[in-house]
Amino acid sequence: MKNNYRVSDYFPFLERPGGDELTVPLVVNFKTIGVLHVERKNEGTFTKEDAEVLDMLANYVAVMLENVRLYQQERDHTNRLRFLLQYQQKLMKETIRHEDFHGITKTVSHMFDKAVIVFDRFMRPIAHERSGLSGQQLQQIAKQAFNQVLGQSRMGGHIQLEGLSDLSIAVWPIHNGGDAVGYLAIEASPNEMDDFFLLGVELARNIFSIQFMKQKLVFETKEQLKDSFLHKLLAAEIEDEESIIQYANVFQWNIFEEHRLAVLHLQMDESNGTVDLVKQNAEKTVLWNRLKVRIAAEDSSLLYGAVEDQYILIAPAARERKKPEKYWSEWHQRISRWINEEKTSYRVFLGIGGKASSIGDYYVSYRQAMQALQVMIRNFPGKSVAFFDELGAYTVLHHLKELEAAKLFVDKYLGPLLRHSVGRNADWLQTVRVFLDCNGHLTETAERLYIHRSTLQYRLEKIEEMLGFSLQGAEQRFNLMMALKLYDLYGLPSAKMLKR
């Protein structure tokens, strides 16, 4: 009856008395599931009374068959539920035994008897059980999943991947707290997804969600320890060297290996209007938390953390391969790309200190990185990566011991300009800076400041009047240049100075 569903074509005496055969249908829920057929009556032909008796028997048989079917279905459901509960216990054990996803993924693959892939929130495969999939097919699945699924963190149900030859892959989000923390891909076609299959998927997603949460808690605990470690390591005076060494052992980090420290600075584009500092700090914190996950996945040898609202990166000097400019430029490009993927308008700066080969050197490298960052942002707006070792005269000024003398020197030469700029549109300091950079050439200075030459001459006269000396002498220009470098290096002008 594969091609013809008319029962009467096979049983001509269907509900028709008067012949030597008689057939009545077995009906359950208005659906014919079979027939009750008799033939060769002892005497005469089958009568209407015979049809009624046979119909009564057919109803009884239909009820019996339906009861058997329901019993078998219930037994099958019970077995499948017991099967899922057994795998739930196995999956829970995997979350207790291990911190990664490989054991869970393998168990889920056995449960479905299908290929299973787990992606993180950035759509990168972090665990898979191929079950016959080749490496090339795995790459193809990851590519299609990245193109079709990434960004749909709150998608409902699942997405069936397209463009895969001879493969049918479905992807479900793994949620935690309303956001997608990862994705689960299973080799399955839509017609295979019955209620029990989807129940198994939901079970697997919940287990993976627990594992992601467990990883997050472990990660956050390590991050807190790491920040405490960096606070101790980058202190001006090391109080407990043994404690620092113990911290380093916890992170399996060789503190006595030569390292280089960098300060990462995230600067928001303020061209869109007034900046809400509270909101900006909250955004930067969220952004840094996401960057940390990517940094850890990219290079486990890189130590990172936050100190005094500054983001710190410490890399083994051996990773630079004697090409520090190339190494840190690649990190700058990498982090900038990640930030662009987050759809935020932050610019990335890296200030990089000298090498540290002992515990006491790390604080020096940190201060050098901070000063390289300050000088770059104030003087070289086109640069994004600056090494302290390449700052020229700034490296000499860095070792200046008499900081109070430096403050007085800056106050003498720049104080009048800074105080006179408060509350006014004129930036006298910038005028002097550009004038000195152009070696006193008026036309070039006016062009760089986008002002008329006569306006520049008026400004210079006012500056000379405020300072009390001429800008034409080489000695005074040198002193001004020195004051500017000290100002850039230490940020010496304080609120107290401006209030005088």
Side-chain angles (χ1 to χ4, degrees), residues 190-473:
N191 57 8
E192 295 178 278
M193 298 181 194
D194 59 11
D195 290 340
F196 275 94
F197 184 94
L198 295 176
L199 186 61
V201 171
E202 193 62 29
L203 167 64
R205 290 168 66 194
N206 290 335
I207 296 296
F208 279 117
S209 178
I210 292 171
Q211 191 72 345
F212 273 111
M213 176 56 72
K214 176 184 170 184
Q215 274 199 344
K216 182 182 178 183
L217 292 174
V218 172
F219 180 80
E220 288 177 349
T221 302
K222 287 183 177 179
E223 292 305 300
Q224 292 174 359
L225 285 173
K226 196 178 295 181
D227 288 347
S228 299
F229 166 55
L230 287 177
H231 272 92
K232 290 178 177 290
L233 179 64
L234 302 182
E237 295 183 8
I238 302 296
E239 297 179 357
D240 188 354
E241 188 171 309
E242 188 63 30
S243 173
I244 291 175
I245 295 173
Q246 290 175 355
Y247 268 111
N249 289 334
V250 169
F251 298 114
Q252 298 180 339
W253 191 66
N254 185 1
I255 196 171
F256 298 106
E257 182 182 355
E258 196 172 53
H259 290 82
R260 192 188 296 274
L261 185 146
V263 174
L264 170 67
H265 177 68
L266 303 176
Q267 183 172 292
M268 175 177 270
D269 181 9
E270 299 180 2
S271 60
N272 297 330
T274 306
V275 177
D276 185 339
L277 293 179
V278 175
K279 181 180 178 181
Q280 181 179 335
N281 288 333
E283 287 179 354
K284 285 173 69 174
T285 300
V286 172
L287 186 57
W288 171 242
N289 288 336
R290 292 179 177 176
L291 287 177
K292 288 190 295 186
V293 177
R294 291 199 161 193
I295 291 171
E298 185 70 28
D299 188 350
S300 59
S301 69
L302 193 74
L303 188 69
Y304 54 85
V307 175
E308 298 175 352
D309 297 326
Q310 301 297 333
Y311 305 129
I312 309 299
L313 305 176
I314 306 179
R319 302 286 290 182
E320 298 177 347
R321 298 178 181 177
K322 298 182 179 180
K323 295 181 179 179
E325 293 84 2
K326 182 175 183 293
Y327 176 80
W328 289 105
S329 293
E330 288 175 350
W331 265 111
H332 176 268
Q333 294 169 6
R334 201 174 289 129
I335 294 172
S336 297
R337 184 179 72 250
W338 293 339
I339 287 178
N340 288 335
E341 290 174 3
E342 293 289 341
K343 309 297 183 186
T344 60
S345 55
Y346 282 91
R347 184 179 171 189
V348 181
F349 294 91
L350 281 177
I352 302 156
K355 291 182 179 179
S357 54
S358 67
I359 291 179
D361 291 340
Y362 286 93
Y363 173 74
V364 176
S365 181
Y366 168 57
R367 298 310 307 173
Q368 289 175 343
M370 283 294 299
Q371 289 165 353
L373 184 66
Q374 291 171 7
V375 172
M376 172 177 60
I377 292 175
R378 287 175 176 169
N379 286 306
F380 308 104
K383 292 190 66 175
S384 299
V385 180
F387 286 80
F388 178 80
D389 295 339
E390 298 176 352
L391 294 181
Y394 291 104
T395 59
V396 177
L397 297 175
H398 165 72
H399 296 284
L400 188 66
K401 301 297 182 183
E402 296 294 336
L403 196 57
E404 287 300 321
K407 289 181 180 180
L408 293 173
F409 187 83
V410 172
D411 186 32
K412 176 181 178 181
Y413 286 95
L414 301 183
L417 302 182
L418 291 166
R419 288 189 288 274
H420 200 270
S421 295
V422 176
R424 296 179 175 86
N425 293 327
D427 188 347
W428 305 105
L429 198 66
Q430 180 66 6
T431 301
V432 171
R433 190 189 296 278
V434 176
F435 177 74
L436 295 175
D437 286 345
C438 295
N439 296 317
H441 194 282
L442 296 181
T443 303
E444 185 179 350
T445 303
E447 289 176 354
R448 286 183 55 181
L449 290 172
Y450 300 102
I451 60 176
H452 196 272
R453 181 186 171 104
S454 60
T455 304
L456 173 63
Q457 288 176 325
Y458 170 76
R459 283 191 188 181
L460 293 175
E461 289 173 3
K462 293 291 291 182
I463 290 170
E464 289 177 340
E465 181 183 330
M466 283 185 277
L467 295 177
F469 56 79
S470 173
L471 296 179
Q472 300 306 313

Side-chain angles (χ1 to χ4, degrees), residues 466-483:
M466 283 185 277
L467 295 177
F469 56 79
S470 173
L471 296 179
Q472 300 306 313
E475 185 70 19
Q476 299 295 5
R477 287 188 186 180
F478 173 80
N479 290 335
L480 274 173
M481 185 68 76
M482 183 70 70

